């Protein structure tokens, strides 16, 4: 089961890059994200009515879910999307966000007591090198500004902190309840930004709604829930190392949908990335997650 969940997360997270690229053509970042999470709340309404979730028991539990949700959704996506809106290339953005497994490895080994083997450290570094090769053709340092760099670093900090925070403070939270609380908190943060910073402009088109539907149902609800489930059953560094693989699937999705043929360097990077992830996640307990389904 862990194998299927892991590959589902990687494939959907990678396809999410392409869906976001489509959606941002019709609305600026904060406005687009507000619509995304508001639609997510609408989708969750029948779910929580039919399958009653286990709501947090104390104010502190509610607060932990809110913090994790704002970090995961508002800070991570708001920061990275706005960096691209300011002109940062997709390659630089993807490369900075792809540092998450390395940052996670440093945090868990230094402050959370998880001991990484030399093979795992090598896998984390090799995986990052592979991502560099995958996105190299999209990297344009000339487009990096202070604002876009800050936005992307905030996105990196948000996704890293959110996964570790929820694992530490809300390990047993009902995932349906967590999604409702975190979507609502994200809308509360993003909607004012969309109104004040952007004026909430939207070009209503079916392509935008299709991208929102995909991102909400398959990414924000299902894939994020899968990520937290995997964090509960595996070591943080191993699970985080899978974050190297979505850019690989994004390349495949771009080739399938837009006819963008990957270069030899990109293909080499994909192979290096997969090898690095295999080194980072392999263990007797996780062997089935990378070798079989």
């Amino acid at each position: 089961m862990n194998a299927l969940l892991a590959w589902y997360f990687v494939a959907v997270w990678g396809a999410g890059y392409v869906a976001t690229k489509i959606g941002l053509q019709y609305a600026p970042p904060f406005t687009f994200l507000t619509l995304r999470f508001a639609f997510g709340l609408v989708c969750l309404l029948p779910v929580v009515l039919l399958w009653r979730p286990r709501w947090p028991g104390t104010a502190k539990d509610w607060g932990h879910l809110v913090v994790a949700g704002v970090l995961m959704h508002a800070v991570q996506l708001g920061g990275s999307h706005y960096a691209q809106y300011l002109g940062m290339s997709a390659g630089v953005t993807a490369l900075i966000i792809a540092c998450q497994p390395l940052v996670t490895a440093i945090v868990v080994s230094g402050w959370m007591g998880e001991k990484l083997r030399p093979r795992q450290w090598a896998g984390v570094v090799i995986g990052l090198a592979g991502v560099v090769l995958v996105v190299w053709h999209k990297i344009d340092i000339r487009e990096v500004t202070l604002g876009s760099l800050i936005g992307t670093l905030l996105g990196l900090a948000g996704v890293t902190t959110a996964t570790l925070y929820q694992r530490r403070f809300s390990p047993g939270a009902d995932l349906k309840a967590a999604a409702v609380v975190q979507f609502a908190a994200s809308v509360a943060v993003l909607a004012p930004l969309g109104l004040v910073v952007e004026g909430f402009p939207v070009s209503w088109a079916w392509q935008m709604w299709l991208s929102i539907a995909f991102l909400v149902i398959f990414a924000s609800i299902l894939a994020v829930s899968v990520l937290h489930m995997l964090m509960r059953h595996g070591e943080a560094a191993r699970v985080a190392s899978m974050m190297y693989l979505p850019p690989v699937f994004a390349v495949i999705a771009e080739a399938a949908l837009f006819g963008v043929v990957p270069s030899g360097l990109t293909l080499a990077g994909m192979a290096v990335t997969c090898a690095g992830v295999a080194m980072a996640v392999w263990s007797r307990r996780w062997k089935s997650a990378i070798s079989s389904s």
Side-chain angles (χ1 to χ4, degrees):
M1 177 59 76
N2 278 354
L4 294 176
L5 292 176
W7 287 114
Y8 170 83
F9 170 80
V10 168
V12 169
W13 214 251
Y17 283 100
V18 179
T20 299
K21 178 180 178 180
I22 295 172
L24 288 177
Q25 297 177 29
Y26 302 96
F30 297 144
T31 301
F32 179 72
L33 289 170
T34 299
L35 293 173
R36 172 175 170 174
F37 294 118
F39 180 72
L41 288 172
V42 173
C43 292
L44 285 171
L45 180 60
V47 174
V48 298
L49 289 177
L50 292 173
W51 297 280
R52 295 296 177 89
R54 187 182 72 257
W55 297 104
T58 66
K60 183 180 290 187
D61 293 335
W62 282 88
H64 287 321
L65 289 181
V66 168
V67 171
V70 169
L71 288 170
M72 173 64 76
H73 300 302
V75 175
Q76 181 218 166
L77 296 177
S80 61
H81 286 18
Y82 208 74
Q84 290 180 270
Y85 182 69
L86 292 176
M88 179 177 279
S89 68
V92 176
T93 304
L95 181 58
I96 293 175
I97 298 297
C99 292
Q100 190 221 348
L102 181 58
V103 175
T104 300
I106 293 172
V107 171
V108 299
S109 63
W111 291 282
M112 297 185 68
E114 285 191 14
K115 301 300 181 182
L116 274 68
R117 299 182 180 89
R119 184 192 68 246
Q120 290 178 277
W121 278 111
V124 168
V125 175
I126 290 172
L128 180 60
V131 173
V132 172
L133 295 178
V134 169
V135 304
W136 186 260
H137 66 292
K138 294 185 177 180
I139 293 178
D140 188 351
I141 300 298
R142 295 171 300 177
E143 296 178 349
V144 177
T145 64
L146 179 60
S148 63
L149 181 60
I150 291 174
T152 312
L153 291 176
L154 283 173
L156 171 61
V159 67
T160 304
T161 307
T163 51
L164 295 176
Y165 187 95
Q166 184 148 332
R167 179 185 182 228
R168 172 66 178 83
F169 294 105
S170 303
D174 184 288
L175 293 177
K176 297 188 294 295
V180 172
V181 173
Q182 293 173 351
F183 284 10
S186 298
V187 170
V189 171
L190 292 164
L193 291 173
L195 286 169
V196 175
V197 178
E198 300 168 342
F200 221 81
V202 181
S203 297
W204 304 104
W206 67 267
Q207 293 93 335
M208 183 192 70
W209 286 113
L210 187 62
S211 68
I212 286 177
F214 176 85
L215 289 167
V216 166
I217 297 170
F218 295 101
S220 292
I221 295 177
L222 297 179
V224 170
S225 296
V226 164
L227 174 63
H228 290 310
M229 290 175 65
L230 292 172
M231 288 291 286
R232 293 175 183 179
H233 294 94
E235 296 173 14
R238 285 196 174 103
V239 176
S241 295
M242 294 189 308
M243 294 295 286
Y244 284 144
L245 293 177
V248 173
F249 275 77
V251 169
I252 297 172
E254 276 192 321
L257 295 175
F258 302 111
V260 180
V261 179
S263 65
L265 187 63
T266 297
L267 293 174
M270 292 166 67
V272 172
T273 300
C274 292
V277 172
M279 292 174 66
V281 306
W282 190 91
S283 72
R284 291 186 183 278
R285 185 161 54 90
W286 268 66
K287 184 177 180 181
S288 61
I290 61 172
S291 63
S292 69
S293 60

